[in-house]
Amino acid sequence: TPPSTLPPINPDGGIMPPVSPPASGAGPGSQPRTGEWEIDLSDWGDPTVVGVPMRYIVTIRNNQNREDRDVRVELRLPQGVKFESVTNMFDGSPVQREFGADNTVLFAPINSVRAGEQIRYVFVLIPTIPDVMIVRARVYSAERKEPRMAEEDTTVQARAN
């Protein structure tokens, strides 16, 4: 066997050039980020009646080619509605949230979401006035700061006497 300090030999008998390590920043994690967040908002039981709890599902999906961090989901609620609860649809666990300005509800930040991963939440609103409610949701993250948005309208009828 030749000493290890000699360059390796190609199968065709020629000497192989030395292999340099990849340039800094090269490799699978250095691909340019492509894709966006996808968000969908839907309701169950439209139309509804004043005082009857209304369920919504908000689904976010990371359609980027890479994991994303510090993912935020927010709701913007119309006037005349009471926020009741939010749960993770995967396991039914309650989701921490806080209430912000302009009738917003901010869900607890998500540390990271893998490429292709989808997360669903179920939230419940109770309408207090007859109207057409427009509920808005948005998602943004550390890498995609420009929010992606969805909205759903729900007809709320007066309670029958």
Side-chain angles (χ1 to χ4, degrees):
T1 24
S4 61
T5 57
L6 294 176
I9 298 176
N10 275 334
D12 65 5
I15 294 177
M16 294 177 62
V19 177
S20 301
S24 178
S30 66
Q31 298 174 3
R33 184 175 295 274
T34 60
E36 292 290 339
W37 283 100
E38 178 183 336
I39 185 167
D40 182 64
L41 180 60
S42 56
D43 61 13
W44 291 330
D46 187 9
T48 190
V49 176
V50 169
V52 174
M54 186 72 189
R55 285 176 174 68
Y56 293 81
I57 297 176
V58 63
T59 304
I60 62 166
R61 181 178 175 86
N62 183 358
N63 285 335
Q64 300 171 83
N65 62 334
R66 296 169 53 189
E67 176 182 77
D68 205 341
R69 302 170 286 104
D70 194 26
V71 180
R72 308 289 179 124
V73 178
E74 295 180 6
L75 303 177
R76 179 128 191 236
L77 305 179
Q79 296 298 319
V81 68
K82 177 184 170 218
F83 182 86
E84 185 72 12
S85 64
V86 59
T87 56
N88 182 314
M89 197 164 168
F90 175 71
D91 62 7
S93 62
V95 174
Q96 291 183 350
R97 84 277 183 203
E98 60 184 67
F99 298 96
D102 298 325
N103 243 13
T104 57
V105 180
L106 300 91
F107 296 178
I110 305 164
N111 289 335
S112 68
V113 179
R114 295 180 303 263
E117 187 176 6
Q118 174 176 282
I119 299 173
R120 287 187 173 154
Y121 298 99
V122 176
F123 63 96
V124 178
L125 303 177
I126 300 176
T128 59
I129 59 173
D131 200 356
V132 174
M133 301 189 314
I134 299 177
V135 178
R136 293 178 173 88
R138 67 186 200 156
V139 60
Y140 56 95
S141 63
E143 297 296 330
R144 293 290 191 229
K145 294 180 184 356
E146 186 66 30
R148 302 289 292 192
M149 295 179 248
E151 66 179 45
E152 181 69 24
D153 61 88
T154 303
T155 301
V156 180
Q157 300 169 344
R159 192 179 296 220
N161 293 330

